[in-house]
Amino acid sequence: QMCIRDRYQRRVRGVKMTDPKKVLSYKPDPVPVSYNKRDLILYALGTGATELKFVYEGDSEFSSLPTYSTVLSFKGNSSDVVPFGSNFSFIPGIEINPAMIVHGEQETEVLSYPIPLEGQFINETKPVALYDKGSGAVLIQETLTLDAKTRKPLFRNVGSTFIRGAGGFGGDRGPSVANENAPPKRSPDKIHEEKTQANQAVLYRLSGDYNPLHIDPSFAESVGFPAPILHGLCTYGFAARAVLKHWCDNDVERFKSIKVRFSSPFLPGETIVTKMWKVSEDKIVFEASSKERNKVVISNAVCQIKSSTSKL
């Protein structure tokens, strides 16, 4: 638990104490979001797709990539540039400075098929857990995306965010997940290599995440990075496409869910190496790394898929 000295120092610095009861009882209003076919194509290009079914609206099998819903919380209803942080909902009981957050984990689940190619939707987001890591806090939020008219659930996203400076409130440290979805101790069943472009982050940000960390060298340096890094959710999209291609034959309706941990930054222009292990009929464990630096950037990762013979 936090000692008296730490509490005193936070008061001296003018930092408000995190109040887990206020955080977890908060129920924000639903947020309208929308997208169209152009948005789907732009996201596909931003995550490296070249297949016609993902980048050409005239293709007979034109489809949304299964991870597209991750950008809706950033994009909202806008088709213009969205100033980073402007769409961050205020959460009572915790101070969140967009420059002080690190995306730790992400999970995306497709709840209904076929995935709509355009429309009006609603995002319902709620905090589901808050853990005290001492130097910071880990906030886990769940977002359900529903059809605006029918309220049919379409996607479920769960994001884990480390908030520097928000810890030390004496709360639970949270479960240990160090070995969750660890790869088997054998050679991968499949390996996918794909080189990103030097301007990959510049392209990906047009889907809604305009964090200057990914484009502005001076901003990146101010928060401890030597250069702008690639969005974690862009790397996420690349890795998801690798699984989709090698295990689902690019059939989106066979892709059920994905869950990963972001373990290290990835630099635009590097090569993403995705190693994949099939551990059961419907479960693919994988990890992604930078080929140039031999550094794992996505770990403890898993995709749930549907076999080609299962009924959809």
Side-chain angles (χ1 to χ4, degrees):
Q1 290 192 352
M2 183 178 177
C3 67
I4 295 175
R5 182 189 63 186
D6 291 335
R7 292 179 184 272
Y8 173 75
Q9 288 177 341
R10 287 177 66 87
R11 290 195 183 101
V12 169
R13 295 195 306 266
V15 178
K16 294 181 180 178
M17 287 296 299
T18 298
D19 186 333
K21 289 185 179 180
K22 286 185 178 180
V23 173
L24 296 176
S25 63
Y26 179 55
K27 296 181 180 180
D29 294 332
V31 176
V33 297
S34 62
Y35 65 82
N36 55 33
K37 294 177 182 177
R38 180 181 178 278
D39 295 320
L40 297 180
I41 294 171
L42 190 58
Y43 174 81
L45 294 171
T47 53
T50 58
E51 298 89 347
L52 284 181
K53 69 178 297 181
F54 299 125
V55 300
Y56 175 42
E57 73 287 351
D59 189 86
S60 61
E61 296 183 351
F62 180 65
S63 304
S64 166
L65 285 167
T67 50
Y68 175 74
S69 62
T70 57
V71 305
L72 290 175
S73 293
F74 299 95
K75 177 187 177 299
N77 245 341
S78 178
S79 294
D80 201 353
V81 172
V82 181
F84 183 69
S86 63
N87 50 11
F88 278 38
S89 60
F90 168 76
I91 301 178
I94 191 168
E95 287 190 358
I96 301 179
N97 178 345
M100 299 291 283
I101 63 175
V102 178
H103 197 168
E105 297 184 356
Q106 181 69 32
E107 178 180 1
T108 302
E109 181 181 7
V110 182
L111 302 176
S112 177
Y113 300 92
I115 296 174
L117 299 180
E118 56 191 345
Q120 301 290 325
F121 310 94
I122 295 291
N123 266 5
E124 293 184 348
T125 301
K126 63 179 181 181
V128 294
L130 182 68
Y131 299 124
D132 188 350
K133 300 297 185 179
S135 63
V138 171
L139 175 63
I140 300 177
Q141 297 189 88
E142 178 186 72
T143 298
L144 286 178
T145 302
L146 305 94
D147 183 280
K149 292 183 179 179
T150 67
R151 289 299 194 271
K152 181 180 182 180
L154 302 174
F155 312 102
R156 172 180 168 268
N157 279 280
V158 180
S160 170
T161 303
F162 181 78
I163 307 166
R164 289 181 286 175
F169 53 89
D172 182 8
R173 285 190 59 85
S176 175
V177 292
N179 296 315
E180 183 181 32
N181 299 317
K185 296 185 181 301
R186 58 179 173 83
S187 298
D189 294 315
K190 295 182 184 293
I191 300 177
H192 182 85
E193 288 193 13
E194 191 164 3
K195 185 172 178 58
T196 63
Q197 301 301 311
N199 66 347
Q200 200 71 55
V202 178
L203 178 59
Y204 177 82
R205 69 193 299 269
L206 298 178
S207 285
D209 185 349
Y210 294 97
N211 188 339
L213 170 62
H214 307 294
I215 192 170
D216 186 338
S218 61
F219 183 90
E221 185 177 354
S222 73
V223 293
F225 294 99
I229 61 175
L230 192 60
H231 304 69
L233 285 176
C234 180
T235 314
Y236 183 78
F238 268 85
R241 285 198 307 100
V243 175
L244 181 66
K245 177 179 180 178
H246 289 279
W247 298 103
C248 303
D249 195 28
N250 275 334
D251 182 352
V252 174
E253 296 196 8
R254 290 177 55 194
F255 191 103
K256 296 171 63 177
S257 67
I258 176 174
K259 182 179 181 181
V260 314
R261 180 180 302 163
F262 299 110
S263 52
S264 186
F266 185 89
L267 300 176
E270 293 183 331
T271 303
I272 297 178
V273 180
T274 305
K275 298 178 180 179
M276 298 164 275
W277 294 261
K278 187 173 184 179
V279 296
S280 71
E281 189 63 26
D282 61 356
K283 185 176 179 180
I284 308 299
V285 168
F286 68 97
E287 68 176 22
S289 60
S290 160
K291 181 178 181 178
E292 289 77 6
R293 290 180 293 124
N294 193 29
K295 184 75 171 180
V296 174
V297 297
I298 286 179
S299 63
N300 302 80
V302 63
C303 278
Q304 299 288 341
I305 64 172
K306 296 178 182 178
S307 69
S308 58
T309 57
S310 65
K311 293 184 178 181
L312 302 177

